[in-house]
Amino acid sequence: MRLSKFISSSGYASRRKSDLLIENGFVIVNNEVCRDFSTQIKEGDEVIVENTKITLPGPKIFSFYKPKNCLCTSNDPSGRKTIYDTLDPKYKNLISIGRLDYKSEGLLLLTNNGEISRFYELPKNKIYRTYNVDLIGDFKNSNLRDMRSGIKFKGIRYGGIIAKLIKIKGERFTLEMLLTEGKNREIRNIAKYFKWNVLKLKRIQHGEYKLSNLKPAEIKEEKLSEKILNLVIKTNE
């Protein structure tokens, strides 16, 4: 297995961060600093990253209810709360699959395997994410057609979004929105395009995993699908 993939598969860091660690000389293979991303790691090789010996645990995936007003990062220079402040310390090395912004809440998938994270985040894999969004503003049925066709806002093109109206009362309404792209602050920017204010944004499903009855800050281990095991875990080249 290539060195960068070995590190990301261990859950120590994402593929991108693994590359940076290697490039900057923080990785030691068999007692020598290694800056070659393509170095093949064989059984019995010792890999140390930032003074931590790396091994490959069994791949796992978790559903976590990210509370509102916390970040999907390990630390924040401004001192804001992160998801790792709410998680039990035994989960501190889990990687978040994608992100939810500070004010958003709901289902966040976590994993101990960087290749699983990468699979879910690659746009070409078209992993759907579903959100319930409470909004206030002037809603028209034509807005749903516009979203399905794709819109452009502040120079950014957003691909088709499948949305349906869940409920409406006066200027307050709730949409269920299904996305595949996951561009930064996509839903909030689309709301701005239509001059809507977001009251609540909650992810309720990511791929095959659903939020179900999880409560804020709760976590549970999920079963990895055979598809993921076959396409990600067993592909070591």
Side-chain angles (χ1 to χ4, degrees), residues 117-163:
S117 175
R118 187 167 183 266
F119 177 85
Y120 274 91
E121 292 173 359
L122 282 175
K124 70 177 183 179
N125 291 326
K126 297 187 181 298
I127 306 296
Y128 285 93
R129 294 170 297 282
T130 306
Y131 302 79
N132 278 350
V133 191
D134 295 337
L135 301 136
I136 186 167
D138 182 19
F139 172 79
K140 301 180 180 65
N141 286 324
S142 61
N143 301 145
L144 303 181
R145 294 193 294 272
D146 292 340
M147 281 189 273
R148 184 180 285 269
S149 299
I151 64 171
K152 187 175 183 180
F153 180 62
K154 292 187 175 180
I156 299 175
R157 183 75 182 179
Y158 295 98
I161 292 175
I162 300 172

Side-chain angles (χ1 to χ4, degrees), residues 184-222:
N184 187 40
R185 297 180 65 82
E186 184 169 355
I187 291 176
R188 294 187 187 278
N189 286 333
I190 289 170
K192 288 179 182 178
Y193 174 84
F194 291 113
K195 296 181 171 58
W196 300 333
N197 290 321
V198 176
L199 302 176
K200 184 177 182 180
L201 197 164
K202 181 167 74 172
R203 184 191 285 161
I204 60 172
Q205 186 168 349
H206 190 164
E208 64 268 47
Y209 301 105
K210 297 181 179 180
L211 184 63
S212 300
N213 296 321
L214 276 183
K215 297 178 181 178
E218 283 189 346
I219 185 172
K220 70 172 180 178
E221 185 173 351
E222 302 281 11

